[in-house]
Amino acid sequence: SQQGEEDPQALSIQEGENATMNCSYKTSINNLQWYRQNSGRGLVHLILIRSNEREKHSGRLRVTLDTSKKSSSLLITASRAADTASYFCATPTGANNLFFGTGTRLTVIP
Amino acid sequence: EPEVTQTPSHQVTQMGQEVILRCVPISNHLYFYWYRQILGQKVEFLVSFYNNEISEKSEIFDDQFSVERPDGSNFTLKIRSTKLEDSAMYFCASGRDGGGETQYFGPGTRLLVL
């Protein structure tokens, strides 16, 4: 079965620093997605990277995908206090649904 | 910007009672989903719905659960006889495309079963 596991489980940085989160998965995928969840709120889609892409940017976000290692990373540059949230990777599984990882809880200290 | 909405935001119920959680997906989306997240745990898939029928469901989605799209806008999740372990945050999501493409999530309904 698909398994998305993020590391670290928790990350605490100072505002302005970069934050890097990693995700590993087990089986072949056609895309990998990153979502953000503010405490007690819904999931917000951040970025989708396809299996034939190695890197993708969106604003201060940079995502990489290494299909040979079955891993992805999410880099948030110049972090802000508002970036404090949990970040999840998600991979398609079955016909339509997404399998979510365990998440990285990011705290950005002002 | 269109968004998925869910009601109620919070629901407290007694064990054994029926609950209905409501969702209004984004209007031009064709694929609809329910997920749940037990406090402190990962988001888990429950069911997907397309073309007025269930397209996929997880082991969690047993006979106590059902989904319905009663009209052109609402998408509901019913839990027939709630158990303590049903306490969780329930998220509705919708997507324009299936096949594991981007899904747009609602803010969730926090269900507490006493």
Side-chain angles (χ1 to χ4, degrees):
Chain A
S1 63
Q2 302 277 4
Q3 277 204 359
E5 301 294 336
E6 288 92 337
D7 81 271
Q9 289 187 352
L11 180 61
S12 185
I13 59 173
Q14 295 288 328
E15 201 165 32
E17 293 180 339
N18 296 342
T20 299
M21 289 157 268
N22 303 295
C23 167
S24 61
Y25 58 92
K26 289 194 174 179
T27 62
S28 296
I29 57 172
N30 58 22
N31 73 65
L32 184 143
Q33 303 174 40
W34 285 90
Y35 287 79
R36 184 186 73 221
Q37 184 182 34
N38 287 65
S39 181
R41 305 292 296 277
L43 294 143
V44 175
H45 179 259
L46 295 176
I47 197 165
L48 180 153
I49 186 166
R50 300 205 178 275
S51 59
N52 61 354
E53 298 175 303
R54 290 296 166 259
E55 189 171 309
K56 198 163 182 179
H57 297 253
S58 176
R60 293 183 297 112
L61 305 181
R62 175 180 160 240
V63 168
T64 64
L65 180 64
D66 187 335
T67 53
S68 66
K69 295 180 179 177
K70 292 187 168 57
S71 67
S72 173
S73 68
L74 170 68
L75 168 69
I76 304 173
T77 60
S79 64
R80 305 167 181 166
D83 295 328
T84 294
S86 291
Y87 292 82
F88 298 87
C89 66
T91 50
T93 184
N96 292 308
N97 71 81
L98 296 176
F99 187 99
F100 284 84
T102 51
T104 292
R105 185 186 305 276
L106 173 66
T107 302
V108 181
I109 303 165
Chain B
E1 188 173 325
E3 57 184 23
V4 177
T5 59
Q6 290 185 242
T7 54
S9 57
H10 294 78
Q11 173 99 44
V12 180
T13 190
Q14 295 290 325
M15 192 169 57
Q17 294 295 303
E18 174 184 286
V19 295
I20 298 176
L21 310 183
R22 292 183 166 79
C23 168
V24 179
I26 294 173
S27 62
N28 64 347
H29 286 183
L30 301 176
Y31 295 83
F32 314 112
Y33 311 85
W34 284 100
Y35 291 82
R36 79 169 186 193
Q37 184 180 34
I38 294 171
L39 188 63
Q41 298 186 23
K42 60 169 73 176
V43 176
E44 301 173 290
F45 167 74
L46 293 178
V47 65
S48 60
F49 193 86
Y50 170 72
N51 201 26
N52 283 320
E53 61 182 24
I54 291 174
S55 53
E56 194 167 11
K57 59 184 181 180
S58 72
E59 292 176 354
I60 302 168
F61 194 88
D62 62 21
D63 291 344
Q64 293 301 311
F65 291 87
S66 62
V67 289
E68 198 176 38
R69 188 155 161 81
D71 52 44
S73 59
N74 290 285
F75 181 50
T76 62
L77 174 70
K78 182 194 289 186
I79 309 175
R80 225 177 311 277
S81 177
T82 50
K83 303 189 274 285
L84 296 177
E85 54 265 37
D86 293 327
S87 294
M89 193 77 147
Y90 288 81
F91 294 108
C92 172
S94 70
R96 191 184 55 200
D97 304 301
E101 293 293 312
T102 300
Q103 296 176 18
Y104 297 85
F105 284 75
T109 293
R110 186 175 297 281
L111 176 66
L112 178 60
V113 182
L114 301 176

